[in-house]
Coordinates of all heavy atoms in Angstrom, one line a residue:
M1 N 0.8 -1.2 0.0 CA 0.0 0.0 0.0 C 0.9 1.3 0.0 O 1.9 1.3 0.7 CB -0.9 0.0 1.2 CG -2.3 -0.3 0.9 SD -3.3 -0.6 2.3 CE -2.7 0.4 3.6
A2 N 0.4 2.3 -0.7 CA 1.2 3.5 -0.8 C 1.4 4.2 0.6 O 2.4 4.8 0.9 CB 0.5 4.5 -1.7
D3 N 0.4 4.0 1.5 CA 0.4 4.6 2.8 C 1.7 4.1 3.6 O 2.2 4.8 4.4 CB -0.8 4.2 3.5 CG -1.0 5.1 4.8 OD1 -0.8 6.3 4.6 OD2 -1.3 4.6 5.8
D4 N 2.2 2.9 3.2 CA 3.3 2.4 3.9 C 4.6 3.2 3.7 O 5.6 3.0 4.4 CB 3.6 0.9 3.5 CG 2.5 0.0 4.1 OD1 1.8 0.4 5.0 OD2 2.3 -1.1 3.5
L5 N 4.6 4.0 2.7 CA 5.7 4.8 2.4 C 5.9 6.1 3.3 O 6.9 6.7 3.3 CB 5.7 5.3 0.9 CG 5.8 4.2 -0.1 CD1 5.5 4.7 -1.5 CD2 7.1 3.5 -0.1
H6 N 4.8 6.3 4.0 CA 4.8 7.5 4.9 C 5.2 7.0 6.3 O 5.0 5.8 6.7 CB 3.5 8.1 5.0 CG 3.0 8.6 3.7 ND1 3.7 9.5 2.9 CD2 2.0 8.2 2.9 CE1 3.1 9.7 1.8 NE2 2.0 8.9 1.7
G7 N 5.8 7.9 7.1 CA 6.2 7.5 8.4 C 7.4 6.6 8.4 O 7.5 5.7 9.3
I8 N 8.3 6.8 7.5 CA 9.5 5.9 7.4 C 10.5 6.3 8.5 O 11.2 5.5 9.1 CB 10.1 6.0 6.0 CG1 9.2 5.3 5.0 CG2 11.5 5.3 6.0 CD1 9.6 5.5 3.6
F9 N 10.6 7.6 8.7 CA 11.7 8.1 9.6 C 11.1 8.4 11.0 O 11.8 8.3 12.0 CB 12.4 9.3 9.0 CG 13.0 9.0 7.7 CD1 12.5 9.5 6.5 CD2 14.1 8.2 7.7 CE1 13.1 9.2 5.3 CE2 14.7 7.9 6.4 CZ 14.2 8.4 5.3
I10 N 9.9 8.9 11.0 CA 9.3 9.4 12.3 C 7.9 8.8 12.4 O 7.1 8.7 11.4 CB 9.1 10.9 12.3 CG1 10.4 11.6 11.8 CG2 8.5 11.4 13.6 CD1 11.2 12.2 12.9
D11 N 7.5 8.3 13.6 CA 6.2 7.9 13.9 C 5.6 8.8 15.0 O 6.3 9.1 15.9 CB 6.1 6.4 14.3 CG 4.7 5.9 14.3 OD1 3.9 6.4 13.5 OD2 4.4 5.0 15.0
V12 N 4.4 9.2 14.7 CA 3.7 10.0 15.7 C 2.4 9.3 16.1 O 1.7 8.9 15.2 CB 3.4 11.5 15.1 CG1 2.7 12.3 16.2 CG2 4.7 12.1 14.7
D13 N 2.1 9.2 17.4 CA 1.0 8.4 17.8 C 0.3 9.2 18.9 O 0.9 9.8 19.8 CB 1.4 7.1 18.2 CG 0.3 6.1 18.4 OD1 -0.6 6.1 17.5 OD2 0.2 5.4 19.4
V14 N -1.1 9.1 18.9 CA -1.8 9.7 20.0 C -2.5 8.5 20.7 O -3.1 7.6 20.0 CB -2.9 10.7 19.6 CG1 -3.7 11.2 20.7 CG2 -2.3 11.8 18.8
S15 N -2.4 8.4 22.0 CA -3.0 7.2 22.7 C -4.5 7.2 22.5 O -5.1 8.3 22.5 CB -2.6 7.2 24.2 OG -3.3 8.2 24.8
P16 N -5.1 6.0 22.4 CA -6.5 5.9 22.2 C -7.4 6.7 23.2 O -8.4 7.3 22.9 CB -6.8 4.4 22.2 CG -5.5 3.8 22.0 CD -4.5 4.7 22.5
E17 N -6.9 6.7 24.5 CA -7.8 7.3 25.5 C -7.7 8.8 25.4 O -8.6 9.5 26.0 CB -7.4 6.9 26.9 CG -5.9 7.1 27.3 CD -5.0 6.0 27.1 OE1 -5.2 5.3 26.0 OE2 -4.1 5.7 27.9
H18 N -6.8 9.4 24.7 CA -6.7 10.9 24.5 C -7.2 11.3 23.1 O -7.5 12.5 22.9 CB -5.3 11.4 24.7 CG -4.8 11.3 26.1 ND1 -4.0 10.2 26.6 CD2 -5.1 12.1 27.2 CE1 -3.8 10.4 27.9 NE2 -4.4 11.5 28.3
A19 N -7.2 10.4 22.2 CA -7.5 10.7 20.8 C -8.9 11.2 20.6 O -9.2 11.9 19.6 CB -7.2 9.5 19.9
S20 N -9.8 10.9 21.5 CA -11.2 11.3 21.3 C -11.5 12.6 22.1 O -12.7 13.0 22.2 CB -12.1 10.2 21.7 OG -11.9 9.8 23.1
D21 N -10.5 13.3 22.6 CA -10.7 14.5 23.3 C -10.6 15.7 22.4 O -9.6 16.1 21.9 CB -9.6 14.6 24.4 CG -9.7 15.9 25.2 OD1 -10.4 16.9 24.8 OD2 -9.0 16.0 26.2
P22 N -11.8 16.4 22.1 CA -11.8 17.5 21.1 C -10.9 18.7 21.5 O -10.4 19.3 20.7 CB -13.3 17.9 21.0 CG -14.0 16.8 21.7 CD -13.1 16.1 22.6
E23 N -10.8 18.9 22.8 CA -10.0 20.1 23.3 C -8.5 19.8 23.0 O -7.8 20.7 22.5 CB -10.3 20.3 24.8 CG -9.7 21.6 25.3 CD -9.9 21.8 26.8 OE1 -10.8 21.2 27.3 OE2 -9.1 22.5 27.4
L24 N -8.1 18.6 23.4 CA -6.7 18.2 23.1 C -6.5 18.2 21.6 O -5.4 18.7 21.1 CB -6.4 16.8 23.7 CG -5.0 16.3 23.4 CD1 -3.9 17.2 24.1 CD2 -4.8 14.9 23.9
A25 N -7.4 17.8 20.8 CA -7.3 17.8 19.4 C -7.0 19.2 18.8 O -6.1 19.4 18.0 CB -8.6 17.2 18.7
R26 N -7.8 20.2 19.4 CA -7.5 21.5 18.9 C -6.2 22.0 19.3 O -5.5 22.7 18.5 CB -8.6 22.5 19.5 CG -9.9 22.6 18.7 CD -10.7 23.7 19.1 NE -11.1 23.7 20.5 CZ -12.1 22.9 21.0 NH1 -12.8 22.2 20.2 NH2 -12.3 22.9 22.3
K27 N -5.7 21.7 20.5 CA -4.4 22.1 21.0 C -3.3 21.6 20.1 O -2.3 22.3 19.7 CB -4.2 21.7 22.4 CG -4.9 22.5 23.4 CD -4.4 22.1 24.8 CE -5.3 22.6 25.9 NZ -5.0 21.9 27.2
L28 N -3.4 20.3 19.8 CA -2.4 19.6 18.9 C -2.4 20.2 17.5 O -1.4 20.4 16.9 CB -2.6 18.1 18.9 CG -2.4 17.4 20.2 CD1 -2.8 15.9 20.2 CD2 -0.9 17.5 20.6
D29 N -3.6 20.4 17.0 CA -3.8 21.0 15.6 C -3.1 22.3 15.6 O -2.4 22.7 14.6 CB -5.2 21.1 15.3 CG -5.5 21.2 13.8 OD1 -4.6 21.7 13.1 OD2 -6.6 20.8 13.3
D30 N -3.3 23.1 16.6 CA -2.7 24.5 16.7 C -1.2 24.4 16.9 O -0.4 25.2 16.4 CB -3.3 25.3 17.8 CG -4.7 25.7 17.6 OD1 -5.1 25.6 16.4 OD2 -5.4 26.2 18.5
A31 N -0.7 23.4 17.7 CA 0.7 23.4 18.1 C 1.6 23.0 17.0 O 2.7 23.5 16.9 CB 0.9 22.5 19.3
C32 N 1.3 22.0 16.2 CA 2.2 21.4 15.3 C 2.4 22.3 14.1 O 1.5 22.6 13.4 CB 1.7 20.0 14.9 SG 2.9 19.2 13.8
P33 N 3.7 22.7 13.8 CA 4.0 23.6 12.7 C 3.8 22.9 11.3 O 3.8 23.6 10.3 CB 5.4 24.0 13.0 CG 6.0 22.9 13.8 CD 4.9 22.4 14.6
V34 N 3.8 21.6 11.3 CA 3.7 20.9 10.0 C 2.5 20.0 9.8 O 2.4 19.1 9.0 CB 5.0 20.0 9.8 CG1 6.2 20.9 9.6 CG2 5.2 19.1 10.9
D35 N 1.4 20.4 10.5 CA 0.1 19.8 10.3 C 0.0 18.3 10.4 O -0.6 17.7 9.6 CB -0.5 20.3 9.0 CG -0.7 21.8 9.0 OD1 -0.9 22.4 10.0 OD2 -0.7 22.4 7.9
I36 N 0.6 17.8 11.4 CA 0.6 16.3 11.6 C -0.7 15.9 12.3 O -1.2 14.8 12.2 CB 1.8 15.8 12.4 CG1 3.0 15.9 11.4 CG2 1.7 14.4 12.9 CD1 4.4 15.6 12.0
F37 N -1.3 16.9 13.1 CA -2.6 16.5 13.8 C -3.8 17.2 13.1 O -3.7 18.4 12.8 CB -2.5 17.0 15.2 CG -1.3 16.4 15.9 CD1 -0.1 17.1 16.1 CD2 -1.4 15.1 16.4 CE1 1.0 16.5 16.8 CE2 -0.3 14.5 17.1 CZ 0.9 15.2 17.2
S38 N -4.8 16.5 12.9 CA -6.1 17.0 12.3 C -7.2 16.9 13.4 O -7.5 15.8 13.8 CB -6.4 16.3 11.0 OG -7.6 16.7 10.5
A39 N -7.7 18.1 13.8 CA -8.8 18.1 14.8 C -10.2 18.0 14.1 O -10.4 18.6 13.1 CB -8.7 19.3 15.7
S40 N -11.1 17.3 14.8 CA -12.5 17.3 14.4 C -13.3 17.2 15.7 O -12.8 17.1 16.8 CB -12.8 16.1 13.5 OG -12.8 14.9 14.2
E41 N -14.6 17.2 15.5 CA -15.5 17.1 16.6 C -15.3 15.9 17.4 O -15.5 15.8 18.6 CB -17.0 17.2 16.2 CG -17.4 18.6 15.7 CD -17.3 19.6 16.8 OE1 -17.8 19.3 17.9 OE2 -16.6 20.6 16.6
S42 N -14.9 14.8 16.7 CA -14.7 13.5 17.4 C -13.3 13.3 17.9 O -13.0 12.2 18.5 CB -15.1 12.4 16.4 OG -14.3 12.5 15.3
G43 N -12.4 14.3 17.8 CA -11.1 14.1 18.4 C -10.0 14.4 17.3 O -10.2 15.2 16.4
V44 N -8.9 13.8 17.5 CA -7.7 14.1 16.7 C -7.3 12.8 15.9 O -7.4 11.7 16.4 CB -6.5 14.6 17.6 CG1 -6.1 13.6 18.6 CG2 -5.4 15.1 16.7
T45 N -6.9 13.0 14.7 CA -6.3 12.0 13.9 C -4.9 12.4 13.5 O -4.6 13.6 13.3 CB -7.1 11.6 12.6 OG1 -7.3 12.8 11.9 CG2 -8.4 11.0 13.0
V46 N -4.0 11.5 13.3 CA -2.6 11.7 12.8 C -2.7 11.7 11.3 O -3.2 10.7 10.7 CB -1.7 10.7 13.4 CG1 -0.3 10.9 12.8 CG2 -1.6 10.9 14.9
V47 N -2.1 12.7 10.7 CA -2.1 12.8 9.2 C -0.8 12.0 8.8 O 0.3 12.5 8.8 CB -2.1 14.2 8.7 CG1 -2.0 14.3 7.2 CG2 -3.3 15.0 9.3
H48 N -1.0 10.8 8.3 CA 0.1 9.9 8.1 C 1.0 10.4 7.0 O 2.3 10.3 7.1 CB -0.4 8.5 7.7 CG -1.1 7.8 8.8 ND1 -0.4 7.3 9.9 CD2 -2.4 7.6 9.1 CE1 -1.3 6.8 10.8 NE2 -2.5 7.0 10.3
E49 N 0.5 11.1 6.0 CA 1.3 11.6 4.9 C 2.3 12.7 5.4 O 3.3 12.9 4.8 CB 0.5 12.3 3.8 CG -0.6 11.5 3.2 CD -1.9 11.6 4.0 OE1 -2.0 10.9 5.0 OE2 -2.7 12.5 3.7
N50 N 2.0 13.3 6.6 CA 2.9 14.4 7.0 C 3.9 14.0 8.1 O 4.7 14.8 8.5 CB 2.0 15.5 7.6 CG 1.2 16.2 6.5 OD1 1.3 15.9 5.4 ND2 0.3 17.1 6.9
K51 N 3.8 12.7 8.5 CA 4.6 12.3 9.7 C 6.1 12.5 9.5 O 6.8 13.0 10.4 CB 4.4 10.8 10.1 CG 3.0 10.6 10.7 CD 2.9 9.3 11.4 CE 2.8 8.2 10.5 NZ 2.4 6.9 11.2
D52 N 6.6 12.3 8.3 CA 8.0 12.5 8.1 C 8.4 13.9 8.0 O 9.6 14.2 7.9 CB 8.5 11.7 6.8 CG 8.7 10.2 7.1 OD1 9.0 9.9 8.2 OD2 8.5 9.4 6.1
E53 N 7.4 14.9 8.0 CA 7.7 16.3 8.1 C 8.1 16.7 9.5 O 8.4 17.9 9.7 CB 6.6 17.1 7.5 CG 6.1 16.7 6.2 CD 7.1 16.9 5.1 OE1 7.9 17.9 5.2 OE2 7.2 16.1 4.2
C54 N 7.8 15.9 10.5 CA 8.0 16.3 11.9 C 9.4 16.8 12.1 O 10.4 16.2 11.6 CB 7.8 15.0 12.8 SG 8.2 15.3 14.5
V55 N 9.5 18.0 12.7 CA 10.8 18.7 13.0 C 11.3 18.4 14.4 O 12.2 19.1 14.9 CB 10.7 20.2 12.7 CG1 10.5 20.4 11.2 CG2 9.6 20.9 13.5
L56 N 10.6 17.5 15.1 CA 11.0 17.1 16.5 C 11.1 18.3 17.4 O 11.9 18.4 18.3 CB 12.4 16.4 16.4 CG 12.5 15.2 15.5 CD1 13.9 14.7 15.3 CD2 11.6 14.1 15.9
C57 N 10.1 19.2 17.2 CA 10.1 20.5 18.0 C 9.6 20.2 19.5 O 9.9 21.0 20.4 CB 9.3 21.5 17.4 SG 7.6 21.1 17.2
G58 N 8.8 19.2 19.6 CA 8.3 18.8 21.0 C 7.1 19.7 21.4 O 6.6 19.5 22.5
L59 N 6.6 20.5 20.5 CA 5.4 21.4 20.9 C 4.2 20.6 21.2 O 3.4 20.9 22.0 CB 5.1 22.4 19.8 CG 6.2 23.5 19.6 CD1 5.9 24.4 18.4 CD2 6.3 24.4 20.9
C60 N 4.0 19.4 20.5 CA 2.9 18.6 20.7 C 2.9 18.0 22.1 O 1.9 17.8 22.8 CB 2.8 17.5 19.7 SG 4.2 16.5 19.5
L61 N 4.2 17.7 22.5 CA 4.3 17.1 23.9 C 4.0 18.1 25.0 O 3.4 17.8 26.0 CB 5.8 16.5 24.0 CG 6.2 15.5 23.0 CD1 7.6 15.0 23.2 CD2 5.3 14.3 23.0
D62 N 4.5 19.3 24.7 CA 4.2 20.4 25.7 C 2.7 20.7 25.8 O 2.2 21.1 26.8 CB 4.9 21.7 25.2 CG 6.4 21.6 25.3 OD1 6.9 20.7 25.9 OD2 7.1 22.4 24.6
A63 N 1.9 20.5 24.7 CA 0.5 20.8 24.6 C -0.4 19.7 25.1 O -1.6 19.9 25.2 CB 0.1 21.2 23.2
S64 N 0.2 18.5 25.5 CA -0.6 17.4 25.8 C -0.2 16.8 27.2 O 0.9 17.0 27.6 CB -0.5 16.3 24.7 OG 0.8 15.9 24.6
P65 N -1.1 16.0 27.8 CA -0.8 15.4 29.1 C 0.3 14.3 28.8 O 0.5 13.8 27.7 CB -2.1 14.7 29.5 CG -3.1 15.2 28.6 CD -2.5 15.8 27.4
E66 N 1.1 14.1 29.9 CA 2.1 13.0 29.8 C 1.6 11.7 29.2 O 0.5 11.2 29.6 CB 2.6 12.8 31.3 CG 3.6 11.7 31.4 CD 5.0 12.3 31.4 OE1 5.2 13.5 31.8 OE2 5.9 11.6 30.9
G67 N 2.3 11.2 28.2 CA 1.9 9.9 27.7 C 0.9 10.0 26.6 O 0.6 8.9 26.0
A68 N 0.2 11.1 26.3 CA -0.8 11.2 25.3 C -0.3 11.1 23.9 O -0.9 10.5 23.0 CB -1.6 12.5 25.5
V69 N 0.9 11.8 23.7 CA 1.5 11.8 22.4 C 2.8 11.1 22.4 O 3.6 11.4 23.4 CB 1.6 13.2 21.8 CG1 2.3 13.2 20.5 CG2 0.2 13.9 21.7
T70 N 3.1 10.3 21.5 CA 4.5 9.7 21.4 C 5.1 10.0 20.0 O 4.4 9.8 19.0 CB 4.4 8.1 21.5 OG1 3.6 7.8 22.6 CG2 5.8 7.5 21.7
V71 N 6.3 10.6 20.0 CA 7.0 10.8 18.8 C 8.2 9.9 18.8 O 9.1 10.1 19.7 CB 7.4 12.3 18.7 CG1 8.2 12.6 17.4 CG2 6.2 13.2 18.8
T72 N 8.3 9.0 17.8 CA 9.4 8.1 17.8 C 10.2 8.3 16.6 O 9.7 8.4 15.5 CB 8.8 6.6 17.7 OG1 7.9 6.4 18.8 CG2 9.9 5.6 17.8
K73 N 11.5 8.4 16.8 CA 12.5 8.4 15.7 C 12.8 7.0 15.3 O 13.5 6.3 15.9 CB 13.8 9.1 16.2 CG 13.6 10.6 16.5 CD 14.9 11.2 16.9 CE 14.9 11.6 18.4 NZ 16.1 12.2 18.8
L74 N 12.2 6.6 14.2 CA 12.3 5.2 13.8 C 13.7 4.8 13.4 O 14.1 3.7 13.4 CB 11.3 4.9 12.6 CG 9.8 5.1 13.0 CD1 9.0 5.0 11.7 CD2 9.4 4.1 14.0
Y75 N 14.5 5.8 13.0 CA 15.9 5.5 12.5 C 16.8 5.2 13.6 O 17.9 4.6 13.4 CB 16.4 6.7 11.7 CG 16.2 8.1 12.3 CD1 17.2 8.6 13.1 CD2 15.1 8.8 12.0 CE1 17.1 9.9 13.7 CE2 15.0 10.1 12.6 CZ 15.9 10.6 13.4 OH 15.8 11.8 14.0
D76 N 16.5 5.6 14.9 CA 17.3 5.2 16.0 C 16.5 4.6 17.2 O 17.1 4.2 18.2 CB 18.3 6.3 16.4 CG 17.6 7.4 17.1 OD1 16.3 7.3 17.3 OD2 18.2 8.4 17.4
G77 N 15.2 4.5 17.0 CA 14.4 3.8 18.0 C 14.1 4.6 19.3 O 13.5 4.1 20.2
T78 N 14.5 5.9 19.3 CA 14.3 6.7 20.5 C 13.0 7.5 20.4 O 12.6 7.8 19.3 CB 15.5 7.6 20.8 OG1 15.6 8.6 19.7 CG2 16.8 6.9 21.0
T79 N 12.5 7.9 21.5 CA 11.3 8.8 21.5 C 11.7 10.1 22.1 O 12.7 10.3 22.8 CB 10.2 8.2 22.4 OG1 10.7 8.0 23.7 CG2 9.7 6.9 21.8
L80 N 10.9 11.2 21.7 CA 11.2 12.5 22.3 C 10.8 12.5 23.7 O 9.9 11.9 24.1 CB 10.4 13.6 21.5 CG 10.8 14.0 20.2 CD1 10.1 15.3 19.8 CD2 12.3 14.2 20.1
Ligands
SF4_101 S1 7.4 17.3 17.5 FE1 6.7 19.2 16.5 S2 6.6 18.8 14.3 FE2 6.7 16.8 15.4 S3 4.5 16.2 15.6 FE3 5.1 17.3 17.5 S4 4.5 19.4 17.1 FE4 4.6 18.4 15.1

C-alpha cells in the first residue's frame, strides 16, 4: 500500500484514551507547525502523509498530558 511509504523516519501516535478529546485535538492541531494533527468534533487523527515532516520540536508534547502523544525516531528507536 502507498500509505506504507509514509512515516518511514518518524512515527507520531496519540494514545486511544486521548485521541477522542476534542479540546486536546484543537491544541495539537494548533501546536504542530507541519500539520501532523487534524482536529475534528470527534477528536484528533494523525495525518500519516505528514509524519516524516516532523521537525522534532516537541510542541505537541508540551501541549498534551504526559503519555498522550508519542513521537518516535524510527531511525534510531528513541522517543522525544
Ligand atoms: S514534534 Fe513538533 S513537528 Fe513533530 S509532531 Fe510534534 S509538534 Fe509536530
Side-chain angles (χ1 to χ4, degrees):
M1 254 169 34
D3 194 46
D4 290 340
L5 296 172
H6 303 297
I8 292 171
F9 301 108
I10 312 259
D11 193 27
V12 180
D13 192 45
V14 182
S15 72
E17 60 266 36
H18 290 99
S20 57
D21 178 348
E23 191 183 335
L24 178 63
R26 273 194 303 278
K27 283 188 197 168
L28 290 172
D29 199 333
D30 288 347
C32 183
V34 291
D35 294 335
I36 287 174
F37 304 99
S38 175
S40 73
E41 286 302 306
S42 57
V44 62
T45 53
V46 172
V47 181
H48 294 286
E49 306 89 272
N50 293 353
K51 286 197 289 193
D52 280 334
E53 306 297 321
C54 175
V55 293
L56 305 172
C57 64
L59 291 172
C60 56
L61 303 178
D62 294 343
S64 59
E66 179 90 32
V69 176
T70 311
V71 179
T72 306
K73 295 182 245 179
L74 297 174
Y75 49 89
D76 68 6
T78 62
T79 56
L80 284 195

